[in-house]
Amino acid sequence: MTPIGTTPASDPPRVADAPPPAHGTGGPTTGLTPGLPPAARPKRPHHRLRQVVWALVSAVVVAAFWSVDISWDSLGHAPARLVHYIGLMFGPPAWGQLPAAVSATMLSVAMAWFGTMLGIVISFPLSLLATRGLTPVWVRWPIRGFFAVLRAVPEVVIAVLMLSVTGLTAYTGALAIALGSIGTLGKWGYESFEAVDRGAIEAANAAGASRVQVMRWGVWPNAQPDVLAFWLYRFEISVRASAILGLIGAGGIGKMLMDNIQFRVWDVVGMLMITVVAITMIIDQLSGMVRIRIITGRWDLPFAARLRRRRTARAIASALDGTVARAAASDLDGSAARAAAGTADSEDRRKAEE
Amino acid sequence: MTTLPIAVPPAGDAPGTAGRAFGEHGHWPRKPRTWPRTVVIVAVICALTAWSAIAIQVDPATLIRNAHNASNTLVQLFQPDYTFIPDTADALLETVQMAVIGTAVSVALALPISFVASRVTNPSTVVLGIARFIMNVVRSIPDLLYAAVFVTVIGTGAISGVFALVLFDLGIMVKLISEALDGLDRGGQEAALASGATWLKADRIAMLPEVASSYISQTIYVFELNIRASTVIGLVGAGGLGMLIDKVRTFYQYHYLSTIILEVLVIILALELLSSASRKRLLL
């Protein structure tokens, strides 16, 4: 935290009674004017609240470690055991069961697709009704509350609730995914409807459009690419969710995994894990390809687009020479990376929230 | 794909009449023919939906029939028994403990790993590639699956839950932090390297302070995720409220079940408010 540009040797000792600068930026007495010798170093800002928060957080963490019902001394041989089990799973995985795994995965994907479609059909009209400017408040807020509640309940818990009504089938899983996706799709829907340019809506209103016509001609054409992309995106999330729902018994690859874990058939478990990861990645890429097509109008695989972007940035950096040019290139690279990180960040968050 | 406004005049159209409305620049552009594409897309979507419906054996009739049978259950579900709340205290405490420990451990582990997994702070492409690959694999496995495996390997209880949470968070945390590092300005780091610092020192002096605020805000976010996750992973035996949910479900105590779910709902909503407020304060 040493301020740049001050060499400790030539610095006069700290003056205790120097006026505390606001927010650590140099006041008039810090001597940053060129030509003048550096004056007293500003005192470090004193954050009472920050200290209290740190103390509190540390206390909570320590208390949690102290009080939790875990025998920490048994942790010593955990790594060795972990390595042993990883060896059992992947050395080598049981590829003979792959056909069964693929058909179980197809069931999971079917579950995800049906659930998402059902969620779209239900959430779409609801999110239109929840859009500000299109409907009165007493319609809007109950629907938004409904979305919020659905988003707060984890999908697995919804599935557990539904088991009592429909029994433990893939159909239950699909219904749980549908309910879960209503919450997120509804929210993304009304947010993108509200982000629409007002011009078209005003034009439609001025031309005497009814409420439905305003939605059809003023809102929908503008929001369409975003909303379609969200639908696909939600399908990607649902694929993950369907694998998880299988773990509590709703069929598909998750059920196969759980059965094999419980019977300790580790080589099959390893194979299934690889299958789950591979299929999720493939579906992500396919659906991402369609999403990129909807938004940019070009067919492109997400990972290929990312690679190309990075390569371009690097090519620019190496083509330009000299310090200034390199600085400009690194800035360009940085901003590209920042933009990419921004989207990836929000996407990852959305995905993780499920 | 779309026809430009300078369209060929449609055959049989008298140039005089159309020209009156649009000057001499051209005629009313022909609407692009999009319906064949629309038909194909709709057909594909319908086919996929039909296939999925057959695969999962959709049967609305069962739903209605069972709903009639299960009306008793539903009545119980809609009458949560609030006297059960004291009995949930232990499980609730365990959920919070698991979330706190999981967050603390994963966040501590994630910081050095993110520095290894960022292009900006790690000069070695080989190590970078290995680190990123491992983290991608770790991230692609869902939390409940980790929990299920650990419950079988280590045993039932909070310890499996903590392990599962740590691995699950590590994947998310490293991705978010290493990407935040990727986007940082490298000026300070270059200056440090130029003045003879090692990479370790340069990263510590120039990059760590810059990434600190995003690190703290992601920590809060991961804690929020953990509270959600730790209520769920108990369903496969990894401790916390989930185990209680599983227990009351097997005994068909649905009025207890709805109490627990209400509790989860309240906690998650409260936490969401708290974390969004604190994150907003951090950014200011």
Side-chain angles (χ1 to χ4, degrees), chain B residues 241-261:
Chain B
L241 271 178
M243 269 175 103
L244 197 64
I245 291 180
D246 202 39
K247 201 174 96 190
V248 297
R249 178 170 66 106
T250 17
F251 291 117
Y252 305 107
Q253 295 160 322
Y254 290 108
H255 46 291
Y256 290 165
L257 182 59
S258 56
T259 315
I260 300 174
I261 287 169

Side-chain angles (χ1 to χ4, degrees), chain A residues 309 312-314 316-317 320 325-339:
Chain A
R309 212 162 43 226
T312 323
R314 215 171 290 156
I316 293 171
L320 301 174
R326 204 175 304 134
S330 87
D331 189 46
L332 200 146
D333 187 15
S335 62
R338 216 169 344 224

Side-chain angles (χ1 to χ4, degrees), chain A:
Chain A
M1 297 306 262
T2 324
I4 301 158
T6 52
T7 41
S10 66
D11 237 21
R14 271 186 203 201
V15 182
D17 55 2
H23 284 290
T25 51
T29 55
T30 44
L32 289 177
T33 338
L36 286 175
R41 188 185 288 179
K43 249 214 294 190
R44 235 187 197 196
H46 193 72
H47 290 291
R48 175 61 51 78
L49 181 74
R50 194 177 286 182
Q51 288 173 341
V52 171
V53 170
W54 273 117
L56 224 86
V57 169
S58 317
V60 168
V61 171
V62 169
F65 271 99
W66 202 267
S67 62
V68 77
D69 182 25
I70 293 177
S71 50
W72 295 108
D73 42 329
S74 72
L75 224 59
H77 38 242
R81 245 157 112 195
L82 219 58
V83 170
H84 172 67
Y85 279 100
I86 288 175
L88 284 181
M89 280 184 208
F90 300 108
W95 291 116
Q97 295 255 28
L98 190 63
V102 170
S103 70
T105 313
M106 285 297 114
L107 182 62
S108 286
V109 175
M111 213 155 100
W113 180 269
F114 191 83
T116 314
M117 288 308 282
L118 198 62
I120 290 171
V121 169
I122 298 170
S123 72
F124 183 64
L126 284 180
S127 60
L128 272 174
L129 287 178
T131 306
R132 194 187 309 130
L134 293 180
T135 46
V137 185
W138 53 268
V139 177
R140 208 159 68 219
W141 284 107
I143 297 177
R144 290 189 176 202
F146 175 62
F147 289 156
V149 168
L150 282 184
R151 263 179 292 124
V153 186
E155 240 143 38
V156 178
V157 175
I158 297 181
V160 167
L161 272 178
M162 299 198 72
L163 296 182
S164 56
V165 182
T166 57
L168 200 61
T169 58
Y171 182 37
T172 316
L175 290 179
I177 287 177
L179 267 181
S181 57
I182 288 172
T184 43
L185 283 176
K187 180 166 188 242
W188 297 345
Y190 73 71
E191 276 175 357
S192 47
F193 292 146
E194 280 171 8
V196 154
D197 181 33
R198 310 296 301 170
I201 299 173
E202 278 169 23
N205 273 328
S210 68
R211 239 170 217 170
V212 177
Q213 283 170 327
V214 169
M215 288 173 188
R216 171 64 186 86
W217 302 107
V219 176
W220 175 244
N222 260 324
Q224 186 200 24
D226 281 351
V227 172
L228 291 185
F230 280 150
W231 288 352
L232 275 169
Y233 190 65
R234 176 61 221 195
F235 170 61
E236 290 166 39
I237 298 172
S238 297
V239 170
R240 282 149 213 264
S242 72
I244 293 176
L245 287 179
L247 290 175
I248 60 158
I253 186 96
K255 182 158 189 328
M256 195 170 169
L257 252 170
M258 200 62 198
D259 291 348
N260 282 293
I261 290 173
Q262 274 168 353
F263 290 112
R264 296 173 166 260
V265 194
W266 293 110
D267 51 347
V268 178
V269 171
M271 186 271 297
L272 286 172
M273 277 181 160
I274 296 174
T275 314
V276 168
V277 170
I279 300 256
T280 343
M281 281 180 178
I282 291 171
I283 286 186
D284 275 6
Q285 292 297 323
L286 287 180
S287 144
M289 189 170 78
V290 182
R291 269 197 292 143
I292 289 180
R293 170 68 183 75
I294 289 172
I295 288 178
T296 68
R298 280 179 290 112
W299 288 106
D300 212 346
L301 281 169
F303 80 88
R306 203 175 310 142
L307 270 183
R308 204 166 33 249
R309 212 162 43 226
R310 205 169 292 163
R311 208 170 296 146
T312 323
R314 215 171 290 156
I316 293 171
S318 64
L320 301 174
D321 223 344
T323 3
V324 180
R326 204 175 304 134
S330 87
D331 189 46
L332 200 146
D333 187 15
S335 62
R338 216 169 344 224
T343 51
D345 180 295
S346 56
E347 284 197 359
D348 224 53
R349 284 194 157 190
R350 286 218 178 97
K351 232 166 233 184
E353 264 166 33
E354 295 319 301

Side-chain angles (χ1 to χ4, degrees), chain B residues 35-262:
Chain B
W35 65 264
R37 212 181 46 172
T38 316
V39 166
V40 170
I41 293 172
V42 170
V44 168
I45 292 175
C46 287
L48 273 174
T49 312
W51 160 74
S52 66
I54 293 166
I56 62 172
Q57 296 164 344
V58 170
D59 186 9
T62 325
L63 191 64
I64 295 163
R65 205 167 43 241
N66 282 348
H68 187 69
N69 293 345
S71 58
N72 194 21
T73 317
L74 284 176
V75 167
Q76 272 199 321
L77 272 178
F78 282 107
Q79 292 173 329
D81 183 357
Y82 297 109
T83 55
F84 186 60
I85 289 178
D87 296 334
T88 63
D90 280 347
L92 186 62
L93 183 67
E94 195 172 51
T95 290
V96 176
Q97 284 168 334
M98 272 168 19
V100 169
I101 296 174
T103 312
V105 174
S106 65
V107 154
L109 291 177
L111 192 62
I113 299 178
S114 343
F115 274 83
V116 175
S118 165
R119 191 155 39 92
V120 170
T121 49
N122 183 357
S124 155
T125 27
V126 178
V127 178
L128 178 72
I130 294 171
R132 287 204 161 175
F133 176 74
I134 294 177
M135 290 326 292
N136 276 337
V137 171
V138 168
R139 198 175 56 245
S140 55
I141 295 173
D143 49 352
L144 211 61
L145 181 50
Y146 277 128
V149 171
F150 281 122
V151 164
T152 321
V153 173
I154 304 175
T156 328
I159 184 148
S160 306
V162 169
F163 267 95
L165 288 180
V166 166
L167 277 177
F168 173 66
D169 299 341
L170 208 56
I172 298 168
M173 199 69 189
V174 168
K175 181 175 167 76
L176 294 176
I177 300 300
S178 67
E179 267 163 6
L181 279 170
D182 281 348
L184 285 183
D185 182 33
R186 304 181 63 172
Q189 188 195 31
E190 274 176 22
L193 287 173
S195 67
T198 60
W199 273 89
L200 192 69
K201 280 183 181 163
D203 287 345
R204 150 85 188 81
I205 283 298
M207 303 309 259
L208 189 62
E210 288 213 55
V211 87
S213 72
S214 105
Y215 178 69
I216 293 174
S217 110
Q218 307 296 14
T219 302
I220 296 172
Y221 165 67
V222 160
F223 179 64
E224 199 186 315
L225 277 188
N226 270 346
I227 291 276
R228 277 164 188 271
S230 62
T231 55
V232 169
I233 54 176
L235 286 172
V236 294
L241 271 178
M243 269 175 103
L244 197 64
I245 291 180
D246 202 39
K247 201 174 96 190
V248 297
R249 178 170 66 106
T250 17
F251 291 117
Y252 305 107
Q253 295 160 322
Y254 290 108
H255 46 291
Y256 290 165
L257 182 59
S258 56
T259 315
I260 300 174
I261 287 169
L262 272 181

